[in-house]
Amino acid sequence: MDELDSAIVRHLQRDARQTNRDLARTLGVAPSTCLERIRALRARGVITGYHAAVDPAALNRHVQVLVHFQIRPLSRAVIEAFKTYAAGLPEVNAVYVVTGGDDMIVHVSVPSVDYLHGFLMDKFTERREVVGFRASVIYQHTHKQVLEPLTP
């Protein structure tokens, strides 16, 4: 990615709703150049989509939690099956396969701590591949809106 590509990505991360003409004006390039660069970034998989940021509390998801899982047996098939299962639950925001003491971390958002308890008991304690899990309630978080490219 060159400087123009990086600038396009940075500006679109801040505001993906701006028009191509406005973005081109901000960057000091022709609208046709800007549009071609955006198309190329999408074709290369740099830009993967455009999303609306939504307040979880507005969707009755007041409690956010990271659930750390230990899975056995450790195999690609078992991990993939559990990942698919967890990602399909409406309370789940994201699923991460990780290294270290835990095998997976699942980001969950629910209405209350009571709901969380029932969710964990009903959805995970009966799963044969889950040998243990623990939950960490998120008190506060900051989400970085704009990611910059890193140079080696």
Side-chain angles (χ1 to χ4, degrees), residues 27-92:
L27 298 173
V29 299
S32 58
T33 300
C34 190
L35 186 58
E36 279 304 312
R37 290 293 191 109
I38 292 171
R39 285 180 178 155
L41 288 165
R42 287 196 340 237
R44 291 188 349 237
V46 175
I47 297 173
T48 60
Y50 301 93
H51 312 279
V54 177
D55 177 10
L59 302 177
N60 196 26
R61 294 169 175 260
H62 302 281
V63 178
Q64 292 193 54
V65 182
L66 297 176
V67 185
H68 308 254
F69 287 94
Q70 295 82 43
I71 306 292
R72 295 294 179 273
L74 276 181
S75 71
R76 186 179 306 270
V78 171
I79 292 292
E80 287 301 317
F82 185 78
K83 188 172 68 170
T84 299
Y85 169 76
L89 298 171
E91 297 85 354
V92 172

